[in-house]
Amino acid sequence: MREFDYRRAEDVPGAVALLDADPDARYLGGGTNLVDLMKTGVERPARLVDVRQLPLDQIESTDDGGLSIGATVTNSDLAAHPEVRRRYPALSQAVLAGASGQLRNMATVGGNLLQRTRCGYFADVTKPCNKRLPGSGCPAVEGEHHNHAVLGASEHCIAVHPSDMGVALTAFDAVVSYRTADGAGEVPLADFYLPVGDTPHRETALPPGALITGVTLPPVPSASRSRYRKVRERASYAFAIGSVAAALDVSDGVVREARLAFGAVASRPWRAYAAEHVLNGAPASADRFAAAADAELAGARTLPGNAYKVTLMRNLAVAVLSELAEETAR
């Protein structure tokens, strides 16, 4: 591991100033992803700016009925918070589906959003990777890609985003707040992750040096009936090979509002807008749920090793929506 300087930030302006003065520095939250990447040589910062002690560790109700979540709230505290469990149960379920208890105790909300892909070629500095070294190639296309993207990918990168939390936040239209040396800003999570295109190394819309300060969840009444389900290759903790966050409001057998997001199928948490369009105002039936999933997955582009994801995601979406519809009918 490269030697590095370490500074503990005392306040938000101080943290931003430290990074602004050294573009080769990185913010350090829980370190559950960054430190691993430093060990493998993927990340080689000259300085770490520790932001764990900043006053960004609160979860509070907003005036309009949403929730404001600080960037240094740990994943464990987020999942256990009573208002998260009551108003956005899929978010709590998504967080609990990710990693181990020990990792959730360390990992933070801001760090979770910025975690890097778990693509093996990205993590191996002896291999080419357009995300790590632009223009070097994407060996996953011809190589190991069984857990790679089927939506929104490009010939330059087919890696997926690993976050469980981000999938639920995407379904609920979360907004990311940040601070730079020029002041505060916000970006909807729907615009937070950039399309892969031919620049997979540019992952987010955050300005250079920006510090994530929190996430705001707007009021989503249907979110109180929501669910997150994750499919993984082993019973103990592992990254998803497919996941669904869904919320459903059904009245008299008709879908009044549907929220749907897919995980582990794209370079970012994937909001299933096409599926929602098919669902809203339609009968809450298994056939309609399948038609909605088909509409979303019609744009899938598969490779030999990941073609299974289309069927997996269709079945997963239908199962979760059917369960929610049954619950709302009781």
Side-chain angles (χ1 to χ4, degrees):
M1 182 186 292
R2 176 189 183 186
E3 290 189 0
F4 59 90
D5 183 35
Y6 170 88
R7 298 286 296 276
R8 176 172 291 172
E10 303 296 332
D11 51 39
V12 170
V16 172
L18 283 170
L19 211 80
D20 191 54
D22 184 358
D24 200 23
R26 298 285 188 277
Y27 294 120
L28 176 68
T32 56
N33 183 213
L34 175 60
V35 175
D36 282 347
L37 294 176
M38 291 171 65
K39 291 176 181 176
T40 60
V42 173
E43 289 278 5
R44 296 170 56 82
R47 170 182 289 176
L48 292 182
V49 178
D50 190 338
V51 298
R52 290 277 296 202
Q53 301 303 314
L54 299 182
L56 302 172
D57 59 349
Q58 298 298 308
I59 300 175
E60 299 172 326
S61 294
T62 59
D63 292 340
D64 63 359
L67 284 180
S68 173
I69 303 166
T72 63
V73 170
T74 67
N75 288 15
S76 293
D77 287 345
L78 177 65
H81 195 278
E83 290 304 307
V84 174
R85 297 176 62 184
R86 184 175 70 85
R87 296 193 226 174
Y88 307 91
L91 176 56
S92 177
Q93 294 162 11
V95 175
L96 292 174
S100 64
Q102 293 91 338
L103 289 169
R104 291 195 295 270
N105 288 341
M106 287 297 295
T108 63
V109 170
N112 188 285
L113 295 177
L114 293 177
Q115 65 180 304
R116 312 295 300 276
T117 179
R118 262 60 177 184
C119 175
Y121 299 104
F122 172 77
D124 184 348
V125 296
T126 68
K127 300 291 193 306
C129 172
N130 285 326
K131 185 179 286 295
R132 177 167 35 78
L133 183 62
S136 61
C138 179
V141 174
E142 300 290 339
E144 179 56 56
H145 54 250
H146 81 284
N147 192 26
H148 283 51
V150 297
L151 293 169
S154 78
E155 61 182 303
H156 302 286
C157 182
I158 57 172
V160 297
H161 196 274
S163 176
D164 295 293
M165 177 194 302
V167 181
L169 290 174
T170 296
F172 301 143
D173 290 329
V175 175
V176 180
S177 301
Y178 62 83
R179 181 75 66 88
T180 71
D182 295 326
E186 292 184 342
V187 58
L189 199 58
D191 302 324
F192 183 79
Y193 298 106
L194 300 176
V196 175
D198 58 1
T199 56
H201 58 289
R202 296 182 62 244
E203 295 181 336
T204 78
L206 284 177
L211 171 69
I212 293 178
T213 54
V215 175
T216 302
L217 282 167
V220 182
S222 63
S224 62
R225 290 187 180 276
S226 62
R227 181 159 299 168
Y228 181 79
R229 183 167 296 173
K230 171 179 178 177
V231 178
R232 48 191 164 188
E233 293 181 319
R234 63 187 186 204
S236 60
Y237 75 90
F239 294 100
I241 58 173
S243 67
V244 166
L248 207 59
D249 178 16
V250 177
S251 177
D252 297 326
V254 175
V255 177
R256 303 301 178 189
E257 183 183 20
R259 299 291 186 109
L260 195 63
F262 294 167
V265 295
S267 63
R268 62 186 188 275
W270 187 266
R271 182 69 178 271
Y273 290 113
E276 292 178 5
H277 180 72
V278 172
L279 291 170
N280 289 326
S285 66
D287 288 345
R288 197 70 176 189
F289 299 152
D294 289 342
E296 192 64 47
L297 295 164
R301 297 292 180 268
T302 65
L303 293 167
N306 66 6
Y308 73 94
K309 285 197 174 187
V310 174
T311 302
L312 182 150
M313 294 305 300
R314 183 180 193 268
N315 292 340
L316 191 58
V318 171
V320 172
L321 290 169
S322 296
E323 290 175 9
L324 286 171
E326 290 177 7
E327 290 178 6
T328 58
R330 292 173 187 164

